[in-house]
Amino acid sequence: MARKITNNRKIINTAAAWGIGLLIFFPILWTILTSFKTEATAIADPPVFLFFDWTMENYSVVQERSNYGRFLWNSIFIAGGSTILGIIVAIPAAWSMAFVPSKRTKDILLWMLSTKMLPAVGVLYPIYLLFIKFGLLDSVLGLTIVLMLINLPIIVWMLYTYFREIPGEILEASRMDGASLKSEILYVLTPMAVPGIASTLLLNFILAWNEAFWTLNLTAAKAAPLTAFIASYSSPEGLFYAKLSAASTMAIAPILVLGWFSQKQLVRGLTFGAVK
Amino acid sequence: MATQNSRSAARLMLAPAVILLLGWMLVPLTMTLWFSFRKYLPLRGGDQGWVGLDNYVRFVSSSSFWPSVQTTLIIVGGVLVITVVFGVLLALLLDQPMWGQGIVRILVIAPFFVMPTVSALVWKNIFMDPVNGLFAHLWKFFGATPIEWLSQASIQSIVMIVSWQWLPFATLILLTAVQSLDGDQLEASEMDGAKPLQRFGYIILPHLARAITIVVLIQTIFLLSIFAEIFVTTGGAFGTKTLTYLIFQRVLESQNIGLGSAGGIYAVILANIVAIFLMRIVGKNLDA
Amino acid sequence: MGTITLKQVTKSFGDTQVIPPLDLQINDGEFVVFVGPSGCGKSTLLRLIAGLEDVTSGHIEIDGADATNIPPSKRGLSMVFQSYALYPHMSVRKNIAFPLKMAGIEPEIAKKKVEDAAQVLNLTDYLERRPGQLSGGQRQRVAIGRAIVREPEAFLFDEPLSNLDAALRVNMRLEISELHQELATTMIYVTHDQVEAMTMADKIVVLQAGVIEQVGSPLELYSSPANRFVAGFIGSPKMNFIEGETAAKYDAHAIGVRPEHFILSNKQTKDGWEGKVEVSEHLGSDTFFHINAGKQGVLTVRAIGEYALRHGDACWVKPDEDRIHRFDAAGLTLGS
């Protein structure tokens, strides 16, 4: 039963929503705009909104000055690596819990969740110490492992909720058709769960990309990803708004695009299926 | 619903994840617990032995402890109130028919994807800088003296930055919950003569109660450990030292591992108290 | 060869035993139907044979070899599931070819087999479609196709027709029967519908609460049910049971008369029971009367389609003395 909505109301709704939406988005928009300004225009009073001489100079300066490419590569490697490793460990685990549930399944799931809630700062020094001991400090590998571990519960959970929607009879059918466990997972379960696995990959890539406790505390120069690269701009010397904006835009642009694709999965992933 | 065969396969396949997480949880936590009972100053004499509960007592009785608890509570509480109240309103608005709903959604969600160091830095400099920040320009335009946000109103500023980051999360989850509300229920209540405000109070809000609880719990866990926003903006100065930040300073800046570890154990206990409530809700949902 | 033997098989879920010790022999080429009310354990029994569930104790032999601990993929059986359980991400061709791929059969041979099966099942035009684009009946056929290409020792069907509409169900019933004639492979078929059981089976296994009540050909079950449960379950409409004084006359705790074994008259007869028509259901070919026969209770009586009795009419019914089933207090059939 569609309800008749007066056009007036729709116009008011639209205006209000767009107004608020733009207000919320404004800091991002302003950052992007500033990245195309000269330093002088960037701090001009009154501020210039759109009508200025657009320049790409900041982007080239930022890249030259800071070897942006290396930070970017570190971010991609750490976020991508930790997510893929996590998925590899999580798919079998989620399969087990979704299709061969036992009395303890629920407890295991909740326990996994509880590890996610451990405050990082509580184990900062031990991890720091272990990293030194194993030579992992300021290494991409070390960070990849840590981010994999902190996101593993979310990955398992997300996959579990997706797998649960796949009827068990189809997997049984594959067993009757002579499929081994490996074939069952490889040829039947995984292809059927592709949308779910993709969403899981996406969301966890974003979470790992934006992680800003371990990436700041466990890296120095070599393995620093974009989070640390940006944080390095907070030192008072060399504060240039336009360049800061350019660096920021480069750090957030790829993830904003990915993020918009993953809105729906965001809810499932971050509420552990508690809100549908 | 399964054979012995598949059950043992299941156990085998579950093992790597469980072992990894078990190691990740137990090893560092045990170490923290161990350190918390020792006087351990790596740069000033190293491990100087067993001190019992000394670190726990000293952590709580230090002059920065209670202010940090207060700061933590203000930040967490402030952000929760702002994100939940505006989140509900925004979710209700976005649920209304309008043009360009998809685009508005995208605009509203965007801040969640901005990495914390970027948002902290952008807010700190481009917006809140007392000389060149956009707010300073705005204040001057109206003839007011620009505020030195991060020193004069430091906590409020951080609450604002963090709220901006988390409002999308709250909105998105509450919007999902609003959309799951049965339209017939609202129509029935309208037939029963409920006015818009009554419909909100008696139908919509109770329906949202669960989602709000979840938003509050999840955000609390994340907010208790916010780090980058403070690290980048004030570095813990001007009364913005949260419990997390205090522990961080004890461990890495003053290299007092014993004291920091005791603080870490406090933080773990605090987070677990919140987590228990969250797990109850999630667990109940799992049975359904 | 497809003989399947169950020896003292039991199944428990936790503390509840769903199948007490059970023996059953299924011969090669037989069409065996497990029938019983929902929750009687018939699907569990099928899953035990398939290997999808472990037996709690006892042995399952396939072709004389102990298969109790062999995983389902290696038992050489095919199964058609209630939900069809087609692989949604594969085309019909790939669905049917899947078991062959798993068996490592060469692609050209597999292709030939898939196309032959598609021919038999009228699926040739649909080979490139996805299951989601097919009707219920077509999906059912794909599931059967997937089962036959394996050339299994035996086919297992788990209520395969229950998701189809009535007309299609009759068609598929015939098709499955034809398939059985053609392949002459052992088939085990689970259903709660006694009509399916009666029409398709060589041998029916009637189950209740995990216990086999009777095993026999459809006609055996119809004409000499071992007990009151089987008597009531087989046959439609259900057999009438009469207890008390009337049954005592026949030296039984209860007697059973099928609706088609009454002689109905609209005139008073000497030894008929007097009754009044409550409801009459005209099906065209037959008419079912629900007749309130006083102390005999309400009886269902079958008559020819044109039988002219209406609600409220008086009538007289008399059971066919040769076809009265007598039961003792425990529900077991008494010998004649």
Side-chain angles (χ1 to χ4, degrees):
Chain A
M1 281 287 282
R3 187 190 260 266
K4 239 195 187 159
I5 302 282
T6 55
N7 251 354
N8 273 343
R9 228 180 112 198
K10 200 167 166 183
I11 290 169
I12 295 170
N13 287 339
T14 308
W18 275 86
I20 294 172
L22 286 171
L23 189 68
I24 290 174
F25 189 71
F26 181 74
I28 298 173
L29 180 68
W30 189 253
T31 307
I32 297 172
L33 288 175
T34 307
S35 74
F36 293 106
K37 295 174 183 170
T38 60
E39 291 299 348
T41 334
I43 54 169
D45 188 13
V48 218
F49 188 56
L50 280 174
F51 303 102
F52 54 85
D53 292 325
W54 292 62
T55 168
M56 291 296 291
E57 198 197 318
N58 300 308
Y59 286 91
S60 48
V61 171
V62 166
Q63 293 204 38
E64 277 162 31
R65 201 186 78 172
S66 59
N67 200 359
Y68 168 82
R70 201 189 65 231
F71 295 104
L72 176 71
W73 170 242
N74 284 343
S75 269
I76 292 174
F77 190 94
I78 293 166
S82 66
T83 306
I84 289 167
L85 270 182
I87 293 259
I88 291 171
V89 177
I91 285 182
W95 175 90
S96 302
M97 292 192 280
F99 298 113
V100 195
S102 71
K103 270 176 269 169
R104 279 168 305 167
T105 298
K106 188 179 144 185
D107 298 331
I108 294 173
L109 276 167
L110 288 178
W111 165 73
M112 285 187 170
L113 199 55
S114 75
T115 66
K116 174 75 197 161
M117 296 168 191
L118 207 64
V121 75
V123 293
L124 174 59
Y125 192 72
I127 296 297
Y128 193 70
L129 215 58
L130 290 171
F131 263 52
I132 293 174
K133 196 167 166 53
F134 293 105
L136 290 172
L137 202 62
D138 198 20
S139 77
V140 169
L141 178 68
L143 217 49
T144 305
I145 294 172
V146 165
L147 291 195
M148 186 269 269
L149 289 168
I150 64 170
N151 283 335
L152 190 57
I154 294 189
I155 299 179
V156 171
W157 261 87
M158 284 184 75
L159 290 177
Y160 170 77
T161 58
Y162 284 113
F163 285 0
R164 277 232 300 198
E165 289 166 11
I166 293 172
E169 270 199 351
I170 291 186
L171 299 187
E172 289 181 346
S174 77
R175 265 169 250 171
M176 292 306 294
D177 284 344
S180 64
L181 188 58
K182 200 182 109 217
S183 314
E184 175 185 326
I185 291 184
L186 220 57
Y187 296 119
V188 181
L189 176 65
T190 306
M192 281 179 73
V194 158
I197 293 175
S199 323
T200 310
L201 272 170
L202 201 59
L203 180 61
N204 283 281
F205 185 83
I206 294 170
L207 292 178
W209 183 278
N210 285 344
E211 204 284 331
F213 181 79
W214 294 113
T215 52
L216 291 180
N217 281 315
L218 294 177
T219 62
K222 201 158 56 72
L226 288 171
T227 43
F229 162 62
I230 295 296
S232 73
Y233 273 78
S234 67
S235 45
E237 24 82 41
L239 197 75
F240 300 102
Y241 284 10
K243 289 178 192 67
L244 167 66
S245 300
S248 299
T249 305
M250 286 193 282
I252 62 173
I255 235 57
L256 276 182
V257 176
L258 288 182
W260 289 333
F261 288 113
S262 71
Q263 306 175 32
K264 286 255 162 62
Q265 286 66 44
L266 192 71
V267 176
R268 191 203 281 253
L270 289 177
T271 64
F272 311 102
V275 173
K276 289 198 187 94
Chain B
M1 272 297 285
T3 62
Q4 199 55 49
N5 239 331
S6 58
R7 262 193 293 275
S8 43
R11 231 169 286 142
L12 206 66
M13 301 211 302
L14 190 56
V18 170
I19 291 168
L20 280 174
L21 284 176
L22 204 61
W24 169 242
M25 184 183 81
L26 283 184
V27 174
L29 208 56
T30 314
M31 286 169 76
T32 301
L33 203 61
W34 168 258
F35 290 139
S36 72
F37 293 113
R38 302 186 75 83
K39 181 170 175 153
Y40 185 24
L41 307 158
L43 302 180
R44 283 161 287 157
D47 193 342
Q48 292 159 36
W50 192 258
V51 289
L53 289 173
D54 202 26
N55 287 321
Y56 288 92
V57 177
R58 276 183 53 204
F59 189 85
V60 182
S61 55
S62 103
S63 62
S64 7
F65 175 72
W66 285 110
S68 81
V69 170
Q70 202 185 354
T71 308
T72 309
L73 289 179
I74 293 174
I75 291 180
V76 172
V79 174
L80 283 179
V81 169
I82 291 175
T83 52
V84 168
V85 170
F86 286 98
V88 170
L89 296 176
L90 209 49
L92 290 176
L93 177 62
L94 289 180
D95 190 42
Q96 304 293 317
M98 68 177 73
W99 288 287
Q101 202 164 22
I103 301 172
V104 175
R105 257 179 85 126
I106 285 172
L107 294 178
V108 171
I109 290 161
F112 190 74
F113 298 114
V114 175
M115 62 174 62
T117 47
V118 167
S119 69
L121 212 56
V122 164
W123 278 98
K124 177 190 176 186
N125 294 306
I126 300 180
F127 288 90
M128 293 176 169
D129 187 88
V131 182
N132 294 319
L134 213 51
F135 288 165
H137 296 320
L138 199 63
W139 257 244
K140 275 184 270 181
F141 179 77
F142 288 108
T145 320
I147 301 171
E148 290 188 30
W149 288 93
L150 285 162
S151 45
Q152 289 172 349
S154 49
I155 291 197
Q156 292 88 325
S157 303
I158 287 178
V159 167
M160 189 168 143
I161 297 172
V162 178
S163 299
W164 179 74
Q165 290 177 293
W166 284 92
L167 180 59
F169 174 82
T171 307
L172 201 57
I173 287 173
L174 293 168
L175 180 60
T176 311
V178 169
Q179 283 168 342
S180 72
L181 178 60
D182 185 7
D184 288 350
Q185 234 187 76
L186 277 181
E187 282 177 1
S189 72
E190 208 175 339
M191 295 300 291
D192 291 343
K195 305 236 161 49
L197 213 59
Q198 289 170 316
R199 286 210 295 276
F200 178 77
Y202 291 112
I203 312 279
I204 298 174
L205 212 52
H207 175 79
L208 289 182
R210 224 177 81 91
I212 291 175
T213 319
I214 289 163
V215 167
V216 167
L217 293 172
I218 292 177
Q219 282 200 23
T220 306
I221 286 165
F222 280 99
L223 294 176
L224 278 175
S225 54
I226 54 162
F227 174 75
E229 291 82 349
I230 298 168
F231 180 77
V232 170
T233 53
T234 64
F238 309 114
T240 58
K241 202 180 293 169
T242 58
L243 197 53
T244 298
Y245 209 83
L246 179 67
I247 299 166
F248 161 78
Q249 284 186 331
R250 289 279 185 265
V251 172
L252 280 194
E253 287 179 9
S254 40
Q255 292 273 324
N256 190 337
I257 307 306
L259 198 56
S261 296
I265 296 297
Y266 281 126
V268 170
I269 293 169
L270 187 63
N272 269 305
I273 293 172
V274 184
I276 285 170
F277 289 102
L278 179 61
M279 312 252 272
R280 279 229 182 110
I281 296 186
V282 173
K284 246 182 225 152
N285 201 59
L286 216 53
D287 295 329
Chain C
M1 286 293 284
T3 62
I4 296 170
T5 313
L6 275 60
K7 289 182 176 164
Q8 289 294 301
V9 165
T10 70
K11 178 67 187 173
S12 305
F13 290 115
D15 294 334
T16 42
Q17 191 173 50
V18 291
I19 295 182
L22 177 149
D23 290 292
L24 183 66
Q25 170 72 34
I26 293 164
N27 298 319
D28 184 36
E30 253 181 341
F31 197 121
V32 178
V33 175
F34 294 169
V35 69
S38 58
C40 70
K42 57 192 188 296
S43 280
T44 307
L45 195 56
L46 191 75
R47 292 170 61 84
L48 290 175
I49 295 171
L52 294 171
E53 303 276 355
D54 284 330
V55 298
T56 306
S57 67
H59 292 279
I60 293 173
E61 287 173 8
I62 299 175
D63 282 338
D66 191 352
T68 315
N69 292 316
I70 295 179
S73 55
K74 302 216 169 72
R75 290 196 183 187
L77 307 173
S78 281
M79 185 151 165
V80 174
F81 289 84
Q82 183 172 7
S83 64
Y84 320 137
L86 302 179
Y87 310 125
H89 58 291
M90 297 181 197
S91 62
V92 169
R93 180 188 294 280
K94 288 199 171 138
N95 260 283
I96 300 177
F98 188 75
L100 301 173
K101 184 177 169 187
M102 290 300 107
I105 292 191
E106 291 201 17
E108 292 104 79
I109 302 173
K111 186 164 186 271
K112 175 88 176 52
K113 286 193 177 189
V114 169
E115 275 160 15
D116 288 349
Q119 184 103 48
V120 173
L121 295 163
N122 282 326
L123 286 169
T124 310
D125 295 340
Y126 304 101
L127 277 176
E128 305 313 325
R129 296 209 190 163
R130 294 279 176 101
Q133 298 164 297
L134 301 179
S135 69
Q138 289 165 336
R139 283 182 213 183
Q140 179 68 74
R141 279 201 279 269
V142 176
I144 293 173
R146 200 171 61 182
I148 59 177
V149 290
R150 277 194 93 193
E151 295 167 15
E153 301 292 334
F155 291 96
L156 312 178
F157 292 92
D158 188 7
E159 307 223 14
L161 304 186
S162 54
N163 286 342
L164 299 179
D165 63 54
L168 211 50
R169 210 177 300 164
V170 175
N171 272 336
M172 286 307 298
R173 217 162 70 194
L174 276 172
E175 282 188 37
I176 293 175
S177 291
E178 274 169 24
L179 198 68
H180 180 241
Q181 308 280 332
E182 216 167 291
L183 301 172
T185 310
T186 312
M187 291 188 175
I188 305 176
Y189 187 107
V190 162
T191 179
H192 61 270
D193 180 353
Q194 59 91 23
V195 178
E196 278 176 27
M198 293 296 281
T199 51
M200 301 169 88
D202 295 325
K203 182 152 102 185
I204 296 178
V205 177
V206 183
L207 287 154
Q208 191 197 12
V211 176
I212 295 181
E213 296 285 344
Q214 191 172 3
V215 179
S217 72
L219 281 182
E220 273 167 26
L221 297 191
Y222 177 80
S223 54
S224 30
N227 54 43
R228 199 168 152 171
F229 175 77
V230 175
F233 194 77
I234 300 291
S236 173
K238 277 178 66 162
M239 182 185 274
N240 298 290
F241 293 105
I242 303 153
E243 291 179 4
E245 202 182 306
T246 316
K249 263 191 232 160
Y250 291 91
D251 226 2
H253 173 74
I255 58 166
V257 185
R258 296 197 182 277
E260 52 270 41
H261 298 154
F262 279 113
I263 301 153
L264 179 62
S265 171
N266 54 5
K267 297 190 187 71
Q268 184 160 14
T269 52
K270 186 161 56 72
D271 45 3
W273 302 327
E274 188 181 354
K276 204 174 241 177
V277 175
E278 285 193 339
V279 179
S280 54
E281 299 173 313
H282 293 278
L283 302 184
S285 59
D286 300 300
T287 305
F288 298 130
F289 293 107
H290 298 270
I291 293 166
N292 190 339
K295 63 180 184 222
Q296 272 75 240
V298 178
L299 303 174
T300 310
V301 176
R302 178 175 169 188
I304 55 162
E306 291 83 15
Y307 210 100
L309 277 177
R310 273 175 231 276
H311 170 74
D313 288 354
C315 60
W316 285 264
V317 291
K318 184 173 141 25
D320 179 346
E321 295 289 338
D322 294 339
R323 295 190 135 166
I324 288 174
H325 302 272
R326 304 185 306 128
F327 306 100
D328 65 16
L332 292 176
T333 302
L334 293 164
S336 44

